[in-house]
Amino acid sequence: KLHLGMFEIGKALGKGKFGRVYLAKERSSGFICALKVLHKSELQQGGIQKQVRREIEIQSNLRHPNVLRLFGHFHDSKRIFLILEFAGKGELYKHLRKEHRFPEWKAAQYIAQMTAALKYLHKKHVIHRDIKPENILMGIHGEIKISDFGWSMLKSGSQDNFYNEKVDLWSLGVLTYEFLVGEAPFEDTPVMTHRRIARGDMTIPSFVSPEARDLIKKLLVLDPEKRISLVEVQQHPWIVKHCIKAE
Ligand code: ADP
Ligand code: MG
Ligand code: MG
């Protein structure tokens, strides 16, 4: 049975709204992992115990090179611990801030990996719903890992209209823009952001190539039914041009 004493705890890797994540080593095997610590009292105050249960149930069943593994979990009286795959190069967000924006070939390769991961998730009826640079981690070889399944949902028949996987495609459009431009497309005050999205009020700077611009415009379509599909993203000229197809 798993317990905290089995791990040697190392440096802090990051912090989200509820989770604090540490580098850790399983003592007997020497296995390096990341330990996400959630305080039960904070989960209760935030009313998100159910969400954490979902995070565990969903993420434990996923196996894809571009999806962060969840190996197991345990708890003590005060805390819940998630044993996660260690992403050696940390948050993609930090790389984006450092480079300001990514060159097109790099952005396209990241988007292709995201698309492969989302295709896998959607095939398993998992909708992530919290795709953003802070929740995209990078492995030691520079490969992308989708993480933080705290807002994810399993799509079941009756909930089709409420939890549609097309939300992840909107986020993919926002992400493509952010990778290429260095800031989010509708960045403004919350009220204005809302208004600008509703009006489709977005300007793409002129340094973005016509192919990339075309993909962004096809993803950031208000009507979810008219947004392009993951397969169409994989076949899009901008992706094809820069990538050897990643499954
Ligand atoms: P929250 O659910 O509170 O947002 P996250 O799971 O997103 O928590 O983790 C918070 C932060 O910790 C991440 O944004 C990232 O910087 C870091 N982190 C999380 N998991 C790992 C990991 N497996 N490897 C490296 N860093 C991680
Ligand atoms: Mg997070
Ligand atoms: Mg979370």
Side-chain angles (χ1 to χ4, degrees):
K1 198 139 178 301
L2 295 160
H3 59 91
L4 189 56
M6 296 164 80
F7 297 88
E8 194 180 312
I9 305 299
K11 67 167 182 177
L13 293 172
K15 193 169 173 297
K17 188 143 190 264
F18 294 94
R20 290 169 197 77
V21 182
Y22 301 90
L23 186 63
K25 185 161 88 178
E26 203 278 315
R27 292 180 196 278
S28 68
S29 63
F31 184 74
I32 298 289
C33 58
L35 212 54
K36 179 167 173 175
V37 185
L38 299 152
H39 287 261
K40 288 178 178 175
S41 58
E42 289 178 26
L43 299 181
Q44 191 151 24
Q45 275 167 26
I48 61 151
Q49 303 109 306
K50 214 169 139 189
Q51 253 171 257
V52 173
R53 217 169 303 138
R54 203 145 48 204
E55 176 170 4
I56 294 169
E57 268 163 30
I58 291 177
Q59 202 177 353
S60 338
N61 286 301
L62 302 174
R63 251 130 264 201
H64 188 278
N66 300 116
V67 176
L68 194 82
R69 278 286 301 269
L70 172 61
F71 296 112
H73 63 98
F74 56 92
H75 63 104
D76 61 18
S77 59
K78 292 199 173 85
R79 297 161 296 184
I80 298 175
F81 301 88
L82 310 193
I83 308 166
L84 296 165
E85 171 185 1
F86 170 51
K89 288 192 179 167
E91 273 177 44
L92 183 64
Y93 184 74
K94 289 185 184 147
H95 296 266
L96 181 60
R97 283 291 156 270
K98 203 167 76 195
E99 297 184 45
H100 180 51
R101 57 185 198 236
F102 296 135
E104 296 228 354
W105 63 270
K106 200 187 262 187
Q109 287 180 11
Y110 289 156
I111 293 300
Q113 291 175 56
M114 286 296 300
T115 306
L118 287 174
K119 221 174 140 187
Y120 171 79
L121 295 180
H122 291 180
K123 194 182 73 194
K124 300 203 90 166
H125 308 287
V126 174
I127 313 171
H128 188 283
R129 307 200 308 154
D130 199 16
I131 298 288
K132 54 184 179 186
E134 301 90 307
N135 289 335
I136 301 171
L137 303 178
M138 204 187 266
I140 200 71
H141 306 293
E143 75 283 21
I144 262 180
K145 308 264 181 195
I146 296 188
S147 78
D148 195 355
F149 284 74
W151 282 100
S152 67
M153 285 292 241
L154 268 181
K155 178 174 162 164
S156 69
S158 62
Q159 295 174 329
D160 272 17
N161 294 326
F162 296 106
Y163 307 108
N164 189 302
E165 70 277 356
K166 289 280 184 181
V167 297
D168 288 337
L169 278 127
W170 175 274
S171 307
L172 195 65
V174 173
L175 209 60
T176 307
Y177 184 106
E178 242 179 307
F179 285 175
L180 291 170
V181 178
E183 57 191 53
F186 305 101
E187 196 79 60
D188 215 314
T189 61
V191 173
M192 281 308 291
T193 296
H194 195 270
R195 227 173 261 175
R196 289 181 57 188
I197 290 173
R199 289 180 184 147
D201 175 10
M202 161 189 64
T203 46
I204 306 175
S206 58
F207 58 76
V208 175
S209 72
E211 293 103 323
R213 181 185 302 269
D214 182 75
L215 177 60
I216 292 167
K217 286 198 169 149
K218 285 174 173 160
L219 285 166
L220 295 182
V221 171
L222 267 183
D223 181 351
E225 299 310 312
K226 292 190 180 126
R227 229 165 272 160
I228 66 170
S229 67
L230 290 167
V231 174
E232 288 170 307
V233 174
Q234 286 184 318
Q235 294 167 348
H236 189 277
W238 185 65
I239 297 292
V240 173
K241 179 177 170 182
H242 294 289
C243 306
I244 306 161
K245 187 164 169 269
E247 267 310 324

